[in-house]
Amino acid sequence: MGKMLNQKKSNTGTFVALFCILALFVLLVLVDNVFPTNSFTLMLIPVLKKGAIYSLVCVSMNLLNGFTGLFSLGQAGFMLLGAYSYAAFSISAASHGAVYQYFDGGIIKFSIPEIFAKALGENAGNFLGSVVCILIGGAVAALFAFLIGIPVLRLKSDYLAIASLGFAEIIRAFAQWDVLGPVTNGSNLLRKYTTFSDMKISFGDFTLKLGTLFPFLIVSVCILLIVLLINSSYGRAFKAIRDDEVAAQAMGINLAKHKRMSFVISSFFAGVSGALIAMYQTTVASSAFTTAMTYEILLIVVIGGIGSVTGSCIGAFLYIACSEWWLRFLDSGEVLGVSVPFFRDGFRKVVFSVVIMIIVLFFSRGIMGDKELSFNRLFAKFRKKKAPEVTENEQ
């Protein structure tokens, strides 16, 4: 009987979670197609897109740092590989000459979205072609992670962090090398490729924009795969390595194999995040993927909670919203029309730093710690609060 009740509670929580996700997707479609264009939506839409992208890259870093215990700081480098790979394969064929004007039109002369568009139509081609290019970006990042992981994963703790950080800087420098210019365009921008604004569905004369929904769809699928991995036997092996390598090895866990697997999978999803960042920014330049980006991602992971997927997602949206929207008025010099002398350019970052310090001081394990947001737990707490008190007469 108890098992049946637990199963019923679990199913209820799952249905509610799916309903909330579906409602969110509907809301995102409305934001793009129904909501009026004003100052609110002009700030909301970029925050939603970037928050979703950062959620994925933070969860990918948490998979490595929080669940496997490998302290790596190479996420920006893998994001760069994903961004360049995505852009290179999705630039329209007619634009190669203009984009690669200093490198004879580049090596890649075709566009994957255009190939799909010829067979399926422009909108479907852009959608499916972009998905393929995103997967290519993730695969390139995973390939480099596999090759780099052979020597680097022999290191531990701070040494692994330094080695991975050095790799990210080397990759960023190589991207600007003229020898690789036919692919990366050297120190010039990659542009004129498929972006979020190209994600549309046409119904006769009516066109439905999916620019905000698209990154959420990709990110949702990727995070779901990561959660399934964490809850699998491989995920349990990752956690065992994190807790005690000696004990994990004594239990028969192949340390080298599982560390390499975690490193490659984390890098794959970092590459996917890089491809989505390329779509968000509409141009790709290696100067955007600096060490500061890796520290930013690590900070979000710590704020959300090391070892918590939902913590990384919540932390990502809060970080992006605060840094790029909610605290922006501090740079304007006034509040509600009243001039404030010490509100000037850069003051937003000062206040934001103080907020982060407060969070770290009062939430030493992050907002979620190592816990996950669960609808079943919320229902259990709600039922406890609503349960009627038993009187003495009833007893």
Side-chain angles (χ1 to χ4, degrees):
M1 186 68 178
K3 290 183 178 179
M4 291 179 63
L5 288 173
N6 290 333
Q7 183 66 31
K8 186 176 180 180
K9 292 177 183 177
S10 177
N11 291 337
T12 302
T14 301
F15 288 137
V16 172
L18 291 175
F19 175 79
C20 291
I21 292 173
L22 180 61
L24 173 62
F25 287 171
V26 172
L27 179 62
L28 294 173
V29 174
L30 294 177
V31 166
D32 272 337
N33 298 275
V34 178
F35 287 14
T37 302
N38 51 38
S39 59
F40 176 78
T41 54
L42 288 175
M43 292 303 302
L44 176 64
I45 292 174
V47 167
L48 288 174
K49 291 178 181 177
K50 194 172 182 180
I53 297 168
Y54 266 62
S55 295
L56 177 57
V57 68
C58 290
V59 171
S60 73
M61 180 178 247
N62 217 340
L63 172 65
L64 194 61
N65 292 16
F67 291 97
T68 315
L70 298 176
F71 188 30
S72 173
L73 294 175
Q75 298 302 101
F78 296 118
M79 291 178 70
L80 181 147
L81 290 170
Y84 271 97
S85 300
Y86 172 84
F89 283 99
S90 61
I91 296 174
S92 62
S95 301
H96 275 86
V99 175
Y100 292 98
Q101 57 181 328
Y102 302 110
F103 301 98
D104 298 326
I107 293 178
I108 303 172
K109 302 291 186 180
F110 60 90
S111 169
I112 291 179
E114 287 184 346
I115 294 174
F116 278 89
K118 290 179 181 177
L120 304 173
E122 183 179 358
N123 292 333
N126 285 335
F127 190 95
L128 294 177
S130 295
V131 171
V132 171
C133 292
I134 289 170
L135 293 176
I136 290 174
V140 170
L143 175 61
F144 272 80
F146 178 81
L147 297 175
I148 292 164
I150 295 173
V152 166
L153 291 179
R154 298 175 183 271
L155 304 173
K156 294 182 180 180
S157 188
D158 298 342
Y159 299 102
L160 174 59
I162 293 170
S164 57
L165 185 63
F167 153 75
E169 288 299 305
I170 290 170
I171 288 294
R172 190 163 67 89
F174 265 84
Q176 302 177 66
W177 191 22
D178 285 346
V179 174
L180 297 178
V183 177
T184 64
N185 207 22
S187 58
N188 306 298
L189 295 174
L190 285 181
R191 50 196 174 85
K192 297 188 177 182
Y193 51 79
T194 308
T195 63
F196 291 144
S197 61
D198 298 313
M199 300 298 110
K200 303 173 183 177
I201 295 179
S202 295
F203 302 96
D205 295 332
F206 177 73
T207 300
L208 191 67
K209 299 176 183 177
L210 303 176
T212 307
L213 177 64
F214 182 81
F216 275 83
L217 286 174
I218 300 297
V219 168
S220 298
V221 172
C222 291
I223 291 179
L224 175 62
L225 293 175
I226 293 174
V227 170
L228 292 175
L229 174 66
I230 291 171
N231 292 323
S232 69
S233 59
Y234 291 108
R236 290 190 288 273
F238 294 160
K239 294 174 185 177
I241 293 172
R242 174 196 63 189
D243 295 336
D244 192 329
E245 287 191 11
V246 176
Q249 191 171 24
M251 292 169 59
I253 296 174
N254 188 324
L255 297 184
K257 172 187 173 182
H258 286 84
K259 284 183 178 180
R260 191 180 304 115
M261 181 184 299
S262 178
F263 190 63
V264 170
I265 293 173
S266 173
S267 302
F268 171 83
F269 288 112
V272 170
S273 303
L276 293 174
I277 278 287
M279 298 183 74
Y280 170 77
Q281 295 178 339
T282 69
T283 60
V284 175
S286 60
S287 58
F289 301 90
T290 60
T291 305
M293 174 180 279
T294 298
Y295 292 152
E296 193 176 44
I297 296 166
L298 179 61
L299 178 62
I300 295 172
V301 172
V302 173
I303 291 174
I306 297 177
S308 172
V309 173
T310 50
S312 294
C313 296
I314 293 171
F317 279 101
L318 288 177
Y319 183 91
I320 297 301
C322 287
S323 62
E324 300 196 6
W325 185 12
W326 294 342
L327 299 179
R328 187 173 289 274
F329 72 94
L330 297 173
D331 291 346
S332 64
E334 60 180 30
V335 178
L336 300 176
V338 179
S339 178
V340 181
F342 54 85
F343 281 12
R344 61 187 67 184
D345 291 343
F347 189 69
R348 168 170 51 113
K349 295 182 179 179
V350 175
V351 175
F352 188 55
S353 301
V354 173
V355 171
I356 291 173
M357 291 173 62
I358 293 172
I359 292 174
V360 172
L361 286 173
F362 289 95
F363 299 90
S364 58
R365 300 187 62 189
I367 296 172
M368 295 294 295
D370 58 356
K371 302 292 190 299
E372 301 291 353
L373 183 63
S374 171
F375 284 99
N376 292 327
R377 290 177 185 170
L378 292 176
F379 287 145
K381 291 181 180 179
F382 180 77
R383 277 190 286 267
K384 287 180 181 179
K385 291 180 180 180
K386 291 294 183 181
E389 295 182 0
V390 180
T391 62
E392 293 181 359
N393 294 332
E394 289 174 336
Q395 289 178 345

